[in-house]
Amino acid sequence: MTHGHEVLAMMQGHRNTERSLLELIIIHFGSDERFCTCSAENLTAHVLIDFLKELNRWGRDSWWTLTRCEKLNKALTACKMKE
């Protein structure tokens, strides 16, 4: 099981639409990989993206940017410190 932080690290420096992000996750981690976060586990790539969108309130332009990744990384890091 891969932690969401690894997906965020992979996203940094890239600009992805939701579809291209899903493709990148599947290429990098495999289509059967499951993901966890500080508050959820056993997430598929689709569900992880939905989870990240919920945390981030996906931008109007539908692009993931470095700034959004950094904000999510801070939130997930704070969550991880609670463990």
Side-chain angles (χ1 to χ4, degrees):
M1 193 169 302
T2 302
H3 198 281
H5 285 127
E6 291 186 48
V7 175
L8 293 176
M10 180 190 66
M11 290 167 56
Q12 290 186 5
H14 295 90
R15 201 168 177 221
N16 293 293
T17 63
E18 185 173 348
R19 182 178 177 165
S20 67
L21 176 59
L22 178 62
E23 291 170 358
L24 185 62
I25 290 171
I26 290 171
I27 289 168
H28 190 80
F29 297 104
S31 60
D32 294 329
E33 182 62 39
R34 293 295 182 259
F35 302 89
C36 62
T37 68
C38 299
S39 61
E41 44 184 75
N42 202 31
L43 307 173
T44 64
H46 290 280
V47 175
L48 177 65
I49 290 172
D50 288 342
F51 177 81
L52 295 176
K53 284 176 13 184
E54 184 177 310
L55 283 180
N56 193 41
R57 294 178 185 87
W58 194 276
R60 273 187 263 158
D61 61 1
S62 299
W63 291 100
W64 283 98
T65 65
L66 182 58
T67 301
R68 289 191 178 108
C69 289
E70 287 173 345
K71 287 179 184 177
L72 282 169
N73 222 353
K74 282 183 182 180
L76 289 174
T77 299
C79 181
K80 191 173 185 177
M81 294 172 89
K82 293 178 187 177
E83 294 178 340

